[in-house]
Amino acid sequence: MSRKNRPRRLPPEPTAASPSRFPSWLVQAAALLLLVAASSLAYVNAGHKSLFFDDWADNLITNPEARDVRGILWNFFRHPFSADEQLARLTFALNCAFNRAMGIQAVDLTTYLVFNVAVHALNSCLVFFLLRAMLSIAGSKAPAPIGLPLAVALLFAVHPIHGSSVAYIAQRRGAMATTFYLLAVLMYLRLRAGRGAVSAWSWKRLASWAAIVLCYWLGFRSKSMAVTLPVTLLMIEFCLRAPDRVALRRYVRYLLPGLLLCMIAGLLFLLSQGLVDLAGLHILPQGSTVLHGPGTQLLTECRVFVHYWKLLLLPLPRWMCVDHAFDLAESVTEVPTLASIVFHVGLLGLAVFAAFRRWTLAAVGIFWFYITLLPYAVIPQSELFVEYKIYLPSVGLMLILAEVFGRAGAGAPSWVKCAIVGVLIVPLIVTTVRRNAVYQSSLSVWTDAVEKYPHESRPHANLGVELGRLGRNEEAIKEYRTALELDPQQRSAQANLGKSLAKLGRYDQAIVEYQKALAMDASDLQVRYSLGIAMEAMGRFDEALECYREVLRVSRDNHLAEIGVGVCLQHKGDLSGAVEAYRRALAGGAVNLEARCNLADCLAQLGRGEEAIAVYRQIIQASPRHVMSRLNLAKLLKQQGRLGDAAAEYSEVLKIEPGNAVARAALDQMAPPPGSTGR
């Protein structure tokens, strides 16, 4: 086909722009302020006073190393290509440092949540800019209108599905990765729009590409899901070129090698993370507890992705939960699995069709959704269905909505458009505020999960943990028993059931539960140590001693088990053995007041008075108000005839406890008879 006969994309007919009373920059600033205000309003009640599952897995906040700003910065640059989320970890350390500088508690979560809301508000503004840029490029309008991008960005700002990424403090990792992801895409679109205005090798273009690479790297260092950015850029370019067959044919020469290069880079990334078995040529699970392979993961996630669409399009409170139960897909022939595959293939086919039919934003939105979820589809993981995974993919829905709303409401009056936006946004804000209330505490989180999934074991087990932390052990026991009825192999519930029984003094029952837990996993040293404590409380010192020694055979520096050995030997009358056990524990770094007291008592009983006195003085130096140690020390001093020193200790006891009868009687006994004079 000759150049003259090539089809050309005709620009739309020019329309007269309506006059505005305000400059465009002021209108845009007002739009951004509205987005920030909406984001803040949606999370005005977000917050919790204590950490719960935010910090369970990775010690992102409470671990001393997580508060070391210099150490994190050093690791950030020392391992530049490590998927260790060091940038997100740095923000946690800076939150802690800010709290200390302000004179408040280091782990005061208010500042952590403010940061999360600020990142989310920033992302809402970036979504606004992304929609404007895409509308401008796809519609050949410069500049694009503000109303439509603002309305859709408001939906992003207040969507309740994002609560798990904002109110759940640790998940700022995904929100931060989204920030840099959006920045990179915006810079690419800006670079693309300016193509032809400057030469290909100008410093401005090189600086723009460098900025895109920098954002890509920063997003990856926030959370590794940002690794999909190059594929997203390739598909954006495909959707923009698809209506022009000539431009598309030119681009295919770059698209296919680009996708191949991305696949190779992805494989190298998985190799660097130890997630590929070269011998078996398959992807390995992420985590030792994952027992299924990549095929099962892919089939299962096909069904999960359908539920993600459902939550994005209709975020009903009864459908949202911190811990969604989801069964693994067994085979591609299962009806739900096969139906989900057909659904996704149909959507992707629709995206290609939409790209050719100039529904560019809708096409980009569908591709965006699937590309950003790709890592979760191919890497086997224990968490199959969690809401925070769709924070970045939800931007794809916003692109689709912008396309649909823009075409459906092209001729509608402004008041109708505002009314529709209000009808959509108000329920979303209300739902988000209600969802934030669930995140107020770990107890409310798992209570909500139990209400949503009463027939699943894990929510009951985790609710039992929270009830146990609050001292509500009877209720915790009930939850643990329910969890075990639903899943008899729930080992953590079995062990925690024993702990709750032990806290109530029901040691005989606790022993039975601990033994069941050890039958599931004999290598669990914590359960074996707890069994030793229960045996010791029942007076079964030989069995307790065997438990403690079994722990020490595996973990020689376990100071608590060493102290347990000392207690058992002391009860059995082996005072010398107990002394050695206590000394080993204390020499190994144990800081245990009870162990020092027991050591001093054993030394005193062995007649090693001077050594016992030295230990008692160490206890008093560390804990000056420890009355029992002062009484025992005074008794030893009195036995040695050091009456003045003994009287001084008894006097100190009376200063701490003026009503202490033992100290008062001892001083009265040591006082000289009335009328006597000292010489």
Side-chain angles (χ1 to χ4, degrees):
M1 183 183 293
S2 65
R3 184 175 297 273
K4 291 181 180 180
N5 295 327
R6 287 177 182 171
R8 292 184 300 168
R9 182 177 179 182
L10 298 177
E13 292 296 327
T15 56
S18 58
S20 174
R21 291 176 295 176
F22 306 102
S24 60
W25 68 266
L26 184 60
V27 175
Q28 183 166 278
L32 297 179
L33 286 175
L34 181 58
L35 286 170
V36 172
S39 301
S40 303
L41 177 62
Y43 294 97
V44 67
N45 67 324
H48 39 274
K49 295 182 179 179
S50 60
L51 285 168
F52 39 99
F53 55 92
D54 303 80
D55 207 40
W56 279 3
D58 302 315
N59 290 324
L60 289 171
I61 300 173
T62 58
N63 185 5
E65 293 182 2
R67 304 181 185 185
D68 181 10
V69 175
R70 291 183 179 179
I72 293 173
L73 277 173
W74 171 248
N75 289 329
F76 183 73
F77 292 107
R78 186 176 60 172
H79 305 291
F81 303 110
S82 175
D84 52 8
E85 303 174 345
Q86 284 295 316
L87 185 58
R89 292 172 184 268
L90 177 62
T91 63
F92 291 119
L94 291 174
N95 267 135
C96 179
F98 177 82
N99 286 352
R100 287 173 173 170
M102 295 297 293
I104 58 180
Q105 187 180 1
V107 193
D108 186 313
L109 301 185
T110 303
T111 59
Y112 291 81
L113 286 163
V114 168
F115 184 91
N116 280 22
V117 174
V119 171
H120 179 61
L122 174 60
N123 288 339
S124 302
C125 295
L126 293 176
V127 168
F128 166 76
F129 286 121
L130 174 65
L131 295 174
R132 288 202 74 191
M134 288 297 301
L135 286 168
S136 177
I137 294 175
S140 298
K141 294 179 181 178
I146 285 181
L148 177 60
L150 175 60
V152 177
L154 282 170
L155 295 178
F156 178 87
V158 302
H159 201 294
I161 201 66
H162 297 150
S164 59
S165 298
V166 180
Y168 184 170
I169 292 174
Q171 291 312 321
R172 74 167 55 158
R173 298 172 288 182
M176 288 178 59
T178 299
T179 301
F180 295 109
Y181 206 98
L182 290 170
L183 283 172
V185 173
L186 283 168
M187 284 187 285
Y188 174 78
L189 293 176
R190 182 179 179 86
L191 185 65
R192 187 186 188 280
R195 185 182 301 161
V198 293
S199 65
W201 296 101
S202 70
W203 69 267
K204 288 185 177 180
R205 289 183 64 82
L206 293 176
S208 297
W209 278 114
I212 292 171
V213 172
L214 176 63
C215 285
Y216 181 39
W217 180 61
L218 293 175
F220 171 73
R221 297 307 302 275
S222 298
K223 194 169 185 178
S224 55
M225 67 176 187
V227 74
T228 60
L229 176 65
V231 185
T232 298
L233 295 180
L234 286 171
M235 295 313 296
I236 288 175
E237 190 65 30
F238 165 78
C239 294
L240 291 172
R241 290 174 179 256
D244 188 337
R245 302 299 174 85
V246 176
L248 181 60
R249 278 198 295 269
R250 291 199 199 107
Y251 178 62
V252 168
R253 293 179 297 177
Y254 303 99
L255 174 63
L256 297 180
L259 291 175
L260 180 60
L261 186 61
C262 287
M263 291 178 60
I264 295 172
L267 179 61
L268 292 176
F269 168 70
L270 294 177
L271 277 170
S272 69
Q273 303 302 309
L275 295 175
V276 174
D277 177 16
L278 290 177
L281 293 178
H282 67 274
I283 300 174
L284 297 173
Q286 187 177 43
S288 58
T289 60
V290 183
L291 302 178
H292 59 273
T296 300
Q297 177 76 17
L298 178 60
L299 294 178
T300 304
E301 289 301 303
C302 283
R303 291 164 48 199
V304 170
F305 290 177
V306 175
H307 287 273
Y308 284 159
W309 280 116
K310 180 182 75 173
L311 288 177
L312 285 171
L313 293 169
L314 196 61
L316 298 179
R318 68 175 181 271
W319 287 348
M320 290 185 288
C321 183
V322 71
D323 187 27
H324 291 274
F326 213 85
D327 295 329
L328 291 171
E330 299 294 336
S331 170
V332 71
T333 58
E334 293 175 332
V335 174
T337 304
L338 184 59
S340 64
I341 292 173
V342 172
F343 173 79
H344 299 312
V345 170
L347 267 183
L348 290 169
L350 184 61
V352 175
F353 177 77
F356 283 108
R357 300 295 295 177
R358 299 183 187 277
W359 286 59
T360 307
L361 272 72
V364 171
I366 294 173
F367 284 126
W368 184 295
F369 178 87
Y370 287 106
I371 291 169
T372 52
L373 280 173
L374 190 59
Y376 303 121
V378 298
I379 303 174
Q381 300 172 24
S382 58
E383 298 293 341
L384 298 172
F385 182 8
V386 284
E387 294 169 8
Y388 58 77
K389 289 182 179 180
I390 49 174
Y391 186 86
L392 175 59
S394 69
V395 176
L397 176 64
M398 302 305 131
L399 288 161
I400 298 170
L401 292 178
E403 184 82 71
V404 173
F405 291 168
R407 291 178 178 270
S414 297
W415 69 269
V416 173
K417 296 177 183 178
C418 292
I420 293 174
V421 171
V423 167
L424 291 174
I425 288 177
V426 171
L428 291 178
I429 291 179
V430 172
T431 304
T432 301
V433 171
R434 286 180 57 188
R435 189 67 190 150
N436 292 338
V438 173
Y439 280 93
Q440 292 290 334
S441 70
S442 52
L443 181 64
S444 59
V445 163
W446 293 113
T447 299
D448 176 76
V450 167
E451 291 173 357
K452 303 287 177 58
Y453 294 99
H455 302 299
E456 293 297 323
S457 175
R458 189 163 73 168
H460 286 284
N462 287 336
L463 178 57
V465 171
E466 303 310 326
L467 290 168
R469 288 180 178 177
L470 295 173
R472 296 160 60 177
N473 289 295
E474 288 290 358
E475 297 171 79
I477 289 170
K478 181 180 177 182
E479 294 299 329
Y480 291 138
R481 292 197 187 282
T482 302
L484 289 168
E485 288 174 4
L486 295 168
D487 181 9
Q489 298 304 312
Q490 178 71 260
R491 183 174 56 84
S492 62
Q494 192 77 66
N496 289 330
L497 173 58
K499 290 180 183 179
S500 290
L501 289 167
K503 288 178 181 178
L504 293 174
R506 292 151 63 176
Y507 295 107
D508 53 340
Q509 298 177 42
I511 289 172
V512 174
E513 303 303 334
Y514 286 141
Q515 289 172 336
K516 290 180 181 178
L518 287 173
M520 299 178 191
D521 183 6
S523 65
D524 194 324
L525 298 183
Q526 183 59 49
V527 174
R528 193 168 295 279
Y529 172 74
S530 299
L531 175 61
I533 292 177
M535 294 285 192
E536 178 189 318
M538 293 290 292
R540 296 160 62 175
F541 298 115
D542 288 328
E543 294 167 277
L545 190 60
E546 180 57 32
C547 287
Y548 294 139
R549 284 175 171 165
E550 183 64 30
V551 172
L552 288 170
R553 271 193 285 270
V554 179
S555 177
R556 295 183 179 181
D557 59 348
N558 193 308
H559 310 314
L560 293 176
E562 199 72 79
I563 292 170
V565 169
V567 171
C568 291
L569 292 175
Q570 188 174 356
H571 280 287
K572 288 168 60 67
D574 185 358
L575 299 181
S576 297
V579 166
E580 293 304 315
Y582 291 137
R583 288 200 185 280
R584 283 195 300 270
L586 295 171
V591 181
N592 190 293
L593 186 62
E594 180 186 2
R596 290 191 182 278
C597 291
N598 289 347
L599 172 60
D601 292 344
C602 289
L603 291 170
Q605 292 178 55
L606 288 169
R608 296 156 63 176
E610 288 300 328
E611 295 178 70
I613 288 172
V615 175
Y616 281 130
R617 291 199 184 281
Q618 291 175 0
I619 296 170
I620 293 169
Q621 184 178 4
S623 182
R625 299 182 64 83
H626 196 264
V627 170
M628 186 56 66
S629 293
R630 287 190 180 276
L631 289 174
N632 290 338
L633 174 58
K635 181 179 177 181
L636 277 176
L637 292 170
K638 182 180 177 182
Q639 290 174 355
Q640 292 185 357
R642 297 158 63 178
L643 301 182
D645 292 339
E649 292 300 332
Y650 285 130
S651 298
E652 288 297 325
V653 170
L654 290 175
K655 289 179 183 178
I656 300 169
E657 294 182 1
N660 191 291
V662 175
R664 177 64 62 191
L667 283 175
D668 291 343
Q669 184 181 9
M670 294 168 63
S676 65
T677 58
R679 294 183 63 181

